[in-house]
Amino acid sequence: MLSDAKIRAAKPRDKSYKLTDSHRLYLLVKPNGSKLWKWNYTYDGKQKTMAFGIYPMVTLLQARAHRDDSRAQLGEGKDPSNEKKLKVEANLNASRHTFERIAREWHDKVKSRWAKVHADDIIHSLARDVFPKIGSLPISSLTPPKILEVLTAVEDRGAIETAKRLRQRISAVFTYAIAKGIAEKDPSEKLATVLKPLPRGRQPAITDLGRLRKMIDDAETDYARPVTRLALRLLALTAVRPSELRGACWNEFEDLNGDEPVWRIPAARMKGDLERKQEVGGDHLVPLTSQAIAVLRVLWPITGAGPLVFPSVRHNSRPMSENAIGYLLNRAGYHGHHVPHGFRAAFSTIMNEWAERHGKKHDRKVIDLMLAHVPKEKVEGAYNRAAFMERRREIAVAWADMLTLSLPPPAVLVSRPIARIDDIFRTSRLERNELNQGCE
């Protein structure tokens, strides 16, 4: 039996010689002074030798542990040398199968299912927030704490929704890796429960007129369907709820060639409970400015053949996706700064400030009426929704004039270059959110 003292005392000789231990383990001392661990064994009737490393990098205790593990493999009918080669190969493969490599492979496999815009967003988000931190690590070695560290860094900059989307994308990469036998489990699977919840409360809105105009111009310059650009413009001009805009039907617009054009949104499409939706005389009246009518005139040749003003690109009988305008704002760089619903807050803030300088006594109430807000002291059925129409039209004109001061006419929005239709829509997400009903 060997000991550390005996091994250290062993001096080199002219020829290599062995210092034997138990169960055919020995230390080969070479003329140059190096000491190598070797183990002889018999497999399938053949004599073989296996190396365990250099002393003292591999200690006596470690060499014996290697020998015992190899003897156990022999007992299972396995060749320890082959098992060692397989293990080395597996480790090499693991080092080659980095998270970034597998993520890009996954992306190449599945990107044809998505619109190009959506596919680009996915790989860009991974390249920005994930690859720099864990991209070079073997995917099979990643743990929940390591992935949580990546997602927490995204949360810490205030991008709560982005962190949640990244977790979903990381999870999809692991699902692919598991299917290929590269990983055994998804360490990101349970992390959704520990991420920060999305903030609730007032939705983000730009309420400075100059910044609002710039945002609209930036979004209208970005790639999109002409219908989406025009929907953004009409939403900004009318300050209606996004759901009311999406469901707009051509037969709701009255007197477009007359002196008092109006958009009559049926009570059934307004926000509220069943009683509100069934209210007689409960239609919401939106006075239309020349700028709003200009948008409709440009839209008519595009969608006028159907009942909906803003139909889905895939189904003329269904409204456009509820996410289309929001994605346009996000692509223009306003994610977290302004949402489609934010035009209502912008209109309320800017026009109430305007009313203080240029307005009349009841303008605050008029502005609330234009937003379809019911005063607290009124009940639904006792509220005159057609009141102050003349003043509402004056305020609408003032708003439209200020808002479009530096914006191009609507016709320009149609002539701007766009991506291919399939590149614009994030099909897998948008189609699920489209309404199933159109206009009567």
Side-chain angles (χ1 to χ4, degrees), residues 19-284:
L19 297 176
T20 60
D21 195 58
S22 58
H23 301 294
R24 306 179 74 179
L25 175 67
Y26 64 90
L27 189 70
L28 182 65
V29 182
K30 304 186 77 172
N32 62 4
S34 62
K35 300 171 181 179
L36 309 177
W37 289 112
K38 299 276 188 175
W39 178 62
N40 291 331
Y41 67 99
T42 302
Y43 182 77
D44 196 21
K46 299 178 182 179
Q47 293 295 319
K48 293 191 171 186
T49 299
M50 191 173 179
F52 290 151
I54 302 173
Y55 180 89
M57 293 179 64
V58 178
T59 66
L60 175 59
L61 289 177
Q62 289 171 332
R64 286 172 176 169
H66 288 320
R67 174 203 62 196
D68 293 343
D69 289 342
S70 298
R71 291 181 69 204
Q73 290 172 348
L74 273 176
E76 297 172 354
K78 300 175 181 177
D79 185 342
S81 292
N82 288 341
E83 293 300 309
K84 181 179 180 181
K85 290 177 183 177
L86 290 173
K87 185 176 181 180
V88 170
E89 184 63 25
N91 289 336
L92 287 173
N93 284 336
S95 65
R96 297 185 190 115
H97 294 150
T98 63
F99 181 84
E100 179 173 355
R101 179 177 178 180
I102 301 305
R104 291 189 180 279
E105 184 178 312
W106 161 78
H107 185 263
D108 285 340
K109 291 280 186 182
V110 301
K111 65 182 181 181
S112 61
R113 304 175 190 173
W114 306 315
K116 186 177 183 299
V117 172
H118 184 44
D120 288 346
D121 281 351
I122 288 176
I123 198 64
H124 289 161
S125 68
L126 292 172
R128 181 188 63 231
D129 296 319
V130 182
F131 295 163
K133 293 181 173 62
I134 62 172
S136 61
L137 300 179
I139 192 168
S140 59
S141 70
L142 291 172
T143 61
K146 190 65 179 176
I147 295 174
L148 182 60
E149 181 181 318
V150 173
L151 299 176
T152 300
V154 177
E155 286 184 329
D156 288 345
R157 68 170 192 254
I160 308 301
E161 185 177 353
T162 299
K164 292 183 179 296
R165 286 199 301 267
L166 278 176
R167 189 210 64 80
Q168 294 172 345
R169 292 164 185 176
I170 291 171
S171 183
V173 174
F174 272 101
T175 299
Y176 175 75
I178 292 169
K180 289 199 66 177
I182 298 169
E184 295 182 356
K185 56 186 178 180
D186 176 8
S188 66
E189 182 180 9
K190 305 296 184 181
L191 297 182
T193 59
V194 299
L195 295 178
K196 293 179 180 178
L198 289 171
R200 295 185 177 183
R202 192 169 185 176
Q203 300 189 63
I206 294 175
T207 57
D208 174 79
L209 183 59
R211 290 183 59 214
L212 189 67
R213 278 197 294 250
K214 183 179 186 308
M215 182 203 68
I216 295 172
D217 189 51
D218 288 344
E220 291 177 346
T221 305
D222 211 319
Y223 50 84
R225 281 200 310 157
V227 170
T228 306
R229 290 196 188 108
L230 293 165
L232 174 70
R233 178 72 70 93
L234 190 61
L235 184 66
L237 286 167
T238 58
V240 298
R241 295 180 179 90
S243 61
E244 295 159 5
L245 178 96
R246 289 172 51 243
C249 297
W250 282 108
N251 60 13
E252 295 173 1
F253 295 92
E254 303 172 0
D255 198 28
L256 293 184
N257 294 316
D259 296 331
E260 297 182 348
V262 68
W263 177 10
R264 184 183 297 274
I265 304 177
R269 290 210 304 108
M270 296 297 295
K271 179 181 178 181
D273 56 20
L274 184 60
E275 181 180 356
R276 164 69 179 92
K277 293 177 181 295
Q278 294 177 340
E279 181 184 340
V280 176
D283 296 348
H284 178 52

Side-chain angles (χ1 to χ4, degrees), residues 237-238 261-263 285-289 292 370 389 392-394 396:
L237 286 167
T238 58
V262 68
W263 177 10
L285 304 181
V286 181
L288 296 174
T289 62
M370 295 175 73
M389 183 54 67
R392 287 158 67 176
R393 193 174 297 281
E394 292 172 353

